[in-house]
Amino acid sequence: MEVLLINRPTHVCKTRALLALILLMWVPMEVMAGTENATHLSTRPRSLNIGALFTLNSVIGRAAKPAIYAAIDDVNSDPSILPGTKLEVILHDTNCSGFLGTVEALQLIENDVVAAIGPQSSGIAHVISHVVNELHVPLLSFAATDPSLAALQYPYFVRTTQSDHFQMYAVADVVEYFGWREVIAIFVDDDCGRNGISILGDALAKKRSKISHKAAFSPGASNNTINELLVGVNLMESRVYVVHVNPDSGLTIFSVAKSLGMMTAGYVWIATDWLPSHLDSLESPGLDTMNLVQGVVALRHHTPDTDLKKSFMSRWKKIKHEGSSGFNSYALYAYDSIWLAARALEVFFNEGGKISFSDDPKLKDTNRSSLHLTSLRIFDGGQQYLQTILKMNFTGVSGQIQFDQDKYLVHPAYEILNIGGTGSRRIGYWSNSTGLSVIAPEILYKKPFSTNTTAQLYSVIWPGETTAKPRGWVFPNNGTPLRIGVPYRVSYQDFVAKDKSPPGVRGYCIDVFEAAVNLLPYAVPRNYVLYGNGKRNPEYSNLVFEVAQNLLGMLRLLLIGQALGSGLVVVVPVKEQKTSPWAFLKPFTYQMWLVTGAFFLFVGAVVWILEHRMNEEFRGPPRKQLMTIFWRENCEHPGTAGADYMVVCGPLIINSSYTASLTSILTVQQLTSRIEGIDSLIASNDPIGVQDGSFAWKYLVDELNIAESRLVKLKTWKTTWKPFSMDRNVVGTVGQEFKKADGDL
């Protein structure tokens, strides 16, 4: 043995020695790793408190309560999330009261909770946010949708549902899609209602629409109050109503509206997500309930149909507690809020975070108060935990849980529903990046972005069981009509005149105006107000002055006839030239005779030059040659044919010119006047006729400096158009250009 050991190869000895050394070191390392892991887990508390604060006996609360308990059970049973730590939920009921909700929130914080789930009321959320800001406790709200809660004033408020900011923009897109321009907002006058409707007004303004009236009522308003409210809005012009109330009392609106006959054809009702939340929470909505909301268009939170959501839905009947209501979308958001808090805690602990609380030096007991404020302690790691929550990114039952830089959940989307029969029908989707579409947003997200996408929705069955799109407005019963001033003239009664039948006036201008008003997409109630006594044409300048001075109330001026004119013109008498029996000689002027004679002489000279050397007939005495030029028989030079062609064409041209000139002389009336325009009229001293009531009088005097002594008022239609039959010698009539029915100027 010893020999063998001594003679063993050196590399074998080294290998065994190395294995022995690794074996000796491995045992201490395992012990050290186990000790370190045990130490890391030992820094985590065995249990952590998470608070829940909402109204238990409400549409949202009855769905959220079983979802929260189910999420707590699922987290505690998952070994990968918070191993060694058990989550405990402390539930407090706000009882739909802002005061009690504040008290319950303070009592909840006394239990050293690391996060608070809720509340559902935006009003309570505003108050509690100040508390959690002071104590550094993140507030995860699954139902407070007030847009103003996203302000920098509330850093510890984290909304785990969609903000009404996006919902109101979805409503505005629906209003624009159907082409309406005015809506009436019916809402509860609380933080959520006011701020939501404020955002709706901004969204509609970007679509060139508006809220014509805000009909607000107090929380808990009686049926009589709501009845008076709806009676008032029913007298107004708009028939498009946007209802933004809470789901527990919202159906009262439709119950009263149905009794008032406001759920019939011609009315449009758009409800926010409160209505689907209420209907979804009912196990089986009765016919009485569904009959109240027939034809309503409503919005509902859109959550993708993932396997995780389907699994949760299949478990719903098993996990809901006794007395709880049916499912709605707020149950999904409540469930995901617990998981968000748990996953963020896991990351918080892995990054070295510790759970500890310290006293707030600002909270001191005084002899004047019996409130134990010192029991409220600051969560030391609250700031780190809050930042961890905002960085989380995972898929929950409601979809992707991830926050953008404004602390909004990414990909906000809504379903557009049409209530009818015993249920509802989805007519489309809306998302902030794709707008209105009949395709689910999660599908459109995968496609290339296009700005040319056209908004689309399926057909709607409106109240009254009609598929025709309602006009959206009627003539209001209590609106202030537009007062239109109409000159009560003596002349031009074909354009406008008094009438015994409504609307009290008639004429061409009235017909044109009425046709234009009927084309408008909104109502224009109007009254025609005659201005003048009917014996003389009223002064337009006086009418304009009284409107400007508000002497005629809210009168709007309609200048009948002025819009038909083409400017200021001068009508003057002319002298007609009679046709003479010798008119056929007029085209033959002496210039024409000279040109004709010169033409023939020129042609004869050309022919003589060409034929003189070759043709004997062009030789001899000058008299003979001259006669031969004008009367020739034989021509030998080839160029003479061209000259003859000129002789033939010349008379044809002269004949055509003569015929045209003679025709013009015999058919066109020859008119003459010494007044050629406004300048020559001003330069003369003759009288000038002006239509009675026309602005031309002051224009001639003030602008053209014509003496008033030269102006003559033409008060009747006959004297206006036939001024020269009067005794006075009026040379001109200044006014706007009109055409009578027979076409005479």
Side-chain angles (χ1 to χ4, degrees):
M1 283 294 290
E2 293 180 357
V3 175
L4 291 173
L5 289 173
I6 293 173
N7 293 312
R8 184 169 296 174
T10 305
H11 71 276
V12 176
C13 295
K14 290 182 179 180
T15 302
R16 290 188 176 185
L18 182 60
L19 291 174
L21 180 60
I22 293 175
L23 180 62
L24 292 174
M25 294 180 63
W26 178 78
V27 175
M29 289 178 64
E30 281 292 316
V31 175
M32 292 175 61
T35 303
E36 182 179 355
N37 188 41
T39 303
H40 178 67
L41 293 177
S42 64
T43 59
R44 300 188 179 190
R46 293 185 178 181
S47 65
L48 284 175
N49 293 331
I50 292 181
L53 187 72
F54 53 89
T55 301
L56 301 182
N57 188 22
S58 65
V59 170
I60 296 176
R62 288 190 294 269
K65 180 180 177 181
I68 288 176
Y69 281 124
I72 291 292
D73 293 339
D74 292 345
V75 169
N76 289 334
S77 61
D78 190 339
S80 64
I81 301 296
L82 299 177
T85 301
K86 182 180 181 181
L87 285 185
E88 301 284 350
V89 61
I90 301 175
L91 192 60
H92 281 251
D93 190 358
T94 59
N95 292 308
C96 290
S97 171
F99 173 72
L100 293 179
T102 304
V103 174
E104 293 292 336
L106 294 175
Q107 294 178 353
L108 180 66
I109 302 297
E110 287 180 352
N111 296 290
D112 290 342
V113 296
V114 295
I117 308 298
Q120 71 189 63
S121 169
S122 297
I124 299 176
H126 277 279
V127 178
I128 299 177
S129 293
H130 293 287
V131 178
V132 297
N133 286 352
E134 179 67 24
L135 302 179
H136 298 179
V137 177
L139 180 63
L140 310 182
S141 179
F142 59 89
T145 57
D146 179 5
S148 65
L149 287 169
L152 298 176
Q153 182 182 7
Y154 309 112
Y156 281 85
F157 177 85
V158 180
R159 197 194 320 268
T160 56
T161 186
Q162 301 298 344
S163 170
D164 279 341
H165 173 90
F166 302 106
Q167 181 169 211
M168 294 308 168
Y169 273 83
V171 172
D173 280 353
V174 172
V175 172
E176 181 192 34
Y177 177 82
F178 290 107
W180 300 311
R181 288 292 175 262
E182 293 185 3
V183 304
I184 293 178
I186 302 174
F187 61 98
V188 178
D189 194 11
D190 57 9
D191 293 295
C192 182
R194 283 191 305 273
N195 295 327
I197 295 302
S198 177
I199 296 296
L200 176 61
D202 296 340
L204 288 173
K206 294 182 179 180
K207 307 293 182 181
R208 296 185 178 180
S209 302
K210 67 176 182 178
I211 300 176
S212 60
H213 179 70
K214 294 182 179 180
F217 59 92
S218 61
S222 63
N223 287 7
N224 291 335
T225 301
I226 295 176
N227 184 81
E228 294 177 0
L229 182 76
L230 294 184
V231 168
V233 301
N234 196 34
L235 296 176
M236 297 179 182
E237 174 185 330
S238 178
R239 282 292 183 265
V240 182
Y241 305 124
V242 177
V243 184
H244 185 51
V245 296
N246 63 69
D248 294 286
S249 59
L251 284 181
T252 306
I253 298 290
F254 292 109
S255 177
V256 176
K258 188 173 181 63
S259 66
L260 295 175
M262 298 174 65
M263 299 300 297
T264 56
Y267 289 86
V268 177
W269 292 88
I270 302 175
T272 52
D273 67 283
W274 68 267
L275 180 58
S277 297
H278 178 84
L279 297 179
D280 291 343
S281 65
L282 301 176
E283 293 289 348
S284 56
L287 291 178
D288 294 338
T289 299
M290 297 305 300
N291 286 337
L292 297 178
V293 292
Q294 294 294 306
V296 176
V297 174
L299 278 71
R300 179 173 63 190
H301 297 118
H302 172 66
T303 54
D305 291 327
T306 59
D307 294 337
L308 193 60
K309 176 183 174 181
K310 294 177 181 178
S311 176
F312 178 81
M313 294 290 295
S314 65
R315 297 167 51 202
W316 179 253
K317 291 185 178 180
K318 298 180 181 178
I319 65 178
K320 72 175 183 177
H321 291 253
E322 183 179 356
S324 62
S325 62
F327 169 83
N328 59 43
S329 59
Y330 289 101
L332 299 177
Y333 293 119
Y335 182 87
D336 284 343
S337 297
I338 295 294
W339 272 96
L340 174 62
R343 290 178 180 272
L345 280 172
E346 177 65 25
V347 176
F348 173 77
F349 287 134
N350 291 337
E351 293 178 350
K354 296 181 179 180
I355 303 298
S356 63
F357 295 87
S358 60
D359 295 334
D360 188 348
K362 298 180 182 179
L363 300 176
K364 297 180 180 179
D365 286 336
T366 63
N367 296 330
R368 294 173 296 175
S369 175
S370 60
L371 297 176
H372 299 284
L373 299 179
T374 54
S375 60
L376 301 176
R377 300 197 299 169
I378 296 176
F379 179 20
D380 297 328
Q383 178 62 30
Q384 179 184 351
Y385 183 39
L386 173 65
Q387 297 305 318
T388 303
I389 290 175
L390 297 177
K391 294 177 182 178
M392 295 303 297
N393 184 5
F394 67 96
T395 301
V397 295
S398 63
Q400 186 177 1
I401 306 299
Q402 183 183 2
F403 299 95
D404 60 17
Q405 60 182 1
D406 296 320
K407 298 198 301 183
Y408 289 126
L409 283 177
V410 297
H411 303 317
Y414 290 87
E415 298 176 0
I416 315 298
L417 306 179
N418 183 206
I419 312 292
T422 59
S424 61
R425 179 174 59 94
R426 185 172 56 230
I427 60 174
Y429 301 89
W430 180 92
S431 75
N432 66 325
S433 58
T434 61
L436 294 174
S437 175
V438 295
I439 304 175
E442 57 269 19
I443 298 177
L444 294 177
Y445 293 150
K446 300 176 182 178
K447 297 182 179 181
F449 178 75
S450 175
T451 57
N452 297 326
T453 304
T454 304
Q456 291 182 346
L457 290 176
Y458 291 121
S459 61
V460 179
I461 300 177
W462 303 100
E465 297 183 357
T466 176
T467 57
K469 186 196 76 172
R471 184 169 58 175
W473 59 269
V474 294
F475 292 101
N477 295 325
N478 64 343
T480 301
L482 181 68
R483 302 181 65 204
I484 304 171
V486 180
Y488 190 9
R489 301 176 60 95
V490 178
S491 57
Y492 311 116
Q493 294 192 1
D494 290 338
F495 290 101
V496 63
K498 183 179 179 180
D499 194 14
K500 295 181 179 180
S501 60
V505 290
R506 59 176 173 81
Y508 174 74
C509 291
I510 301 300
D511 294 340
V512 172
F513 183 78
E514 289 287 333
V517 169
N518 291 333
L519 295 176
L520 296 176
Y522 50 83
V524 182
R526 55 201 176 274
N527 291 331
Y528 293 98
V529 180
L530 291 173
Y531 181 77
N533 55 17
K535 298 179 181 179
R536 286 188 58 184
N537 293 335
E539 294 284 347
Y540 281 104
S541 57
N542 294 340
L543 179 56
V544 173
F545 176 78
E546 293 192 16
V547 172
Q549 297 297 321
N550 202 24
L551 299 178
L552 295 178
M554 296 300 294
L555 185 67
R556 296 296 180 267
L557 180 62
L558 174 64
L559 296 179
I560 300 300
Q562 291 213 8
L564 303 176
S566 59
L568 196 65
V569 298
V570 179
V571 181
V572 296
V574 295
K575 182 179 180 181
E576 182 178 352
Q577 294 181 349
K578 296 183 179 180
T579 304
S580 170
W582 299 96
F584 70 94
L585 296 177
K586 287 185 178 181
F588 290 99
T589 62
Y590 73 92
Q591 293 92 343
M592 182 177 179
W593 287 111
L594 292 176
V595 171
T596 303
F599 174 76
F600 279 103
L601 290 175
F602 172 75
V603 172
V606 171
V607 171
W608 181 83
I609 293 173
L610 295 176
E611 297 289 341
H612 178 72
R613 296 180 181 181
M614 301 176 60
N615 195 338
E616 295 182 353
E617 294 183 0
F618 286 86
R619 298 175 183 175
R623 182 179 179 183
K624 178 182 178 183
Q625 294 185 32
L626 183 62
M627 293 178 62
T628 304
I629 291 174
F630 289 101
W631 187 264
R632 59 185 179 278
E633 294 181 358
N634 298 320
C635 294
E636 298 180 1
H637 195 281
T640 305
D644 291 339
Y645 179 76
M646 294 177 60
V647 173
V648 174
C649 292
L652 291 177
I653 296 173
I654 295 173
N655 181 60
S656 299
S657 177
Y658 170 81
T659 303
S661 298
L662 183 61
T663 302
S664 175
I665 293 173
L666 296 177
T667 57
V668 177
Q669 185 182 28
Q670 300 297 309
L671 303 177
T672 61
S673 173
R674 60 189 179 86
I675 303 299
E676 299 178 353
I678 192 69
D679 294 331
S680 59
L681 183 63
I682 296 173
S684 69
N685 293 321
D686 298 321
I688 302 173
V690 181
Q691 301 173 27
D692 188 20
S694 172
F695 70 93
W697 182 284
K698 288 190 175 182
Y699 177 77
L700 294 175
V701 174
D702 298 339
E703 300 295 332
L704 302 182
N705 298 319
I706 297 177
E708 291 190 18
S709 58
R710 294 181 57 192
L711 304 182
V712 179
K713 286 188 177 181
L714 307 178
K715 300 180 180 180
T716 63
W717 179 88
K718 182 177 181 180
T719 57
T720 300
W721 290 107
K722 299 182 179 179
F724 314 108
S725 63
M726 300 190 304
D727 295 336
R728 299 188 61 176
N729 184 23
V730 179
V731 304
T733 300
V734 178
Q736 285 196 299
E737 179 182 2
F738 296 94
K739 285 189 177 181
K740 289 172 47 185
D742 57 5
D744 296 335
L745 185 64

